[in-house]
Amino acid sequence: MAFYDHYATRPRNNLGLKAKLYQARRIFELAFEGTAGILTSIVEIGPGDGYIASLSEKNNCKYLGIEASEAVVDKLTKQGHNIIHSSVPPLPSDIGAFDVCFILHVIEHMKDMDTATLLIRQIRGHLNQGGKLILACPDYIRWKHYFYDCDYTHCLPFTMRRLRQLLVNEGFDITYESIYTGPVFGYKGLPLYWFAKLFYPQLLDDLSSVYLKSDILNRGFLTLMPNLIVVAKKRNNF
């Protein structure tokens, strides 16, 4: 099996797909804040199921996706999206400059902080003046052991403070930071996470992973785990 093929081929359920699409729409809207509704170009690292790609094209934005999984590239290319097959870092040098870069649930897969730092530095180099980086990843303070348990390619955990330090140090100013939990954006969504933890004890997790098809309870539980979301603007005098 090639890199991350288990992601491209994993079974989906309608409820999960609706939740992911809603999250993508809310995150995509962040790109337009402060732009008078005008954006021309978007690059996405790790396009996943293609939600940002579809939203970009519906909003008449030039879109480029960069993806390490050949299976995901093949799937999204067949859907008509502009995707290139490449592992990062390094970013391909010939991709040009963009108004916005989305990197959603990718940075936690970097092997170490040096690799993550290089990626953020190179993203900055491919953003136009005043360009935005929109980044999401699991909130390690709340995910704890589930961060590693849910995905064998998770390597690098982040908290909001740790993420903020990285971005500021690499020439970005944070313009928005929050969390989202399932369909709820902001810290008001934390009760969903508290209830999920209360009603999903370790024994239930043990049993569901063995006896339920596609580990469906665990996947539903993870949907209610808080994720970090940050918008960072390129600092032009850096």
Side-chain angles (χ1 to χ4, degrees):
M1 179 177 283
F3 173 76
Y4 224 47
D5 277 5
H6 76 285
Y7 176 89
T9 59
R10 76 193 192 283
R12 310 295 208 274
N13 66 77
N14 288 334
L15 188 60
L17 289 173
K18 288 179 180 179
K20 296 294 184 184
L21 179 56
Y22 178 80
Q23 291 170 349
R25 285 172 176 162
R26 288 291 305 273
I27 292 171
F28 186 76
E29 290 170 359
L30 295 173
F32 284 89
E33 293 186 1
T35 66
I38 300 172
L39 280 179
T40 60
S41 56
I42 290 172
V43 63
E44 182 179 21
I45 300 172
D49 289 317
Y51 296 131
I52 298 297
S54 295
L55 291 165
S56 299
E57 290 153 10
K58 287 178 182 177
N59 285 273
N60 299 314
C61 297
K62 172 189 171 185
Y63 174 86
L64 173 66
I66 303 172
E67 173 58 52
S69 167
E70 190 171 354
V72 174
V73 172
D74 183 61
K75 175 184 175 182
L76 295 181
T77 301
K78 287 178 179 177
Q79 294 175 5
H81 302 306
N82 182 25
I83 312 291
I84 59 176
H85 184 209
S86 178
S87 297
V88 298
L91 288 177
S93 59
D94 58 350
I95 61 173
F98 295 83
D99 296 325
V100 177
C101 175
F102 287 92
I103 177 169
L104 309 178
H105 292 276
V106 171
I107 198 166
E108 65 268 25
H109 299 273
M110 299 296 104
K111 66 180 181 179
D112 53 36
M113 188 57 77
D114 287 342
T115 307
T117 300
L118 176 61
L119 177 59
I120 297 300
R121 186 174 301 157
Q122 291 185 345
I123 288 172
R124 186 184 180 281
H126 285 280
L127 286 175
N128 292 322
Q129 184 174 0
K132 295 179 180 179
L133 168 62
I134 300 179
L135 188 154
C137 65
D139 180 3
Y140 185 70
I141 284 180
R142 296 177 173 91
W143 279 64
K144 296 183 171 61
H145 72 277
Y146 288 107
F147 174 82
Y148 294 104
D149 180 62
C150 73
D151 192 324
Y152 80 103
T153 66
H154 277 188
C155 296
L156 189 61
F158 279 92
T159 64
M160 185 64 81
R161 184 174 288 108
R162 183 173 164 94
L163 184 58
R164 186 189 304 128
Q165 290 170 353
L166 168 63
L167 294 174
V168 170
N169 197 60
E170 290 304 316
F172 286 92
D173 292 320
I174 309 297
T175 61
Y176 173 86
E177 60 177 54
S178 190
I179 64 171
Y180 62 96
T181 308
V184 182
F185 280 67
Y187 289 89
K188 62 183 179 292
L190 282 178
L192 288 176
Y193 159 67
W194 297 333
F195 280 114
K197 283 189 66 179
L198 180 63
F199 291 106
Y200 192 74
Q202 186 59 50
L203 177 60
L204 183 57
D205 183 56
D206 294 339
L207 293 174
S208 70
S209 66
V210 175
Y211 296 110
L212 290 184
K213 183 179 179 181
S214 304
D215 205 11
I216 190 68
L217 279 185
N218 178 262
R219 289 170 58 187
F221 171 71
L222 295 176
T223 301
L224 298 177
M225 297 290 279
N227 297 290
L228 306 175
I229 178 71
V230 171
V231 179
K233 186 177 180 181
K234 179 178 178 178
R235 194 184 316 137
N236 295 314
N237 60 351
F238 180 72

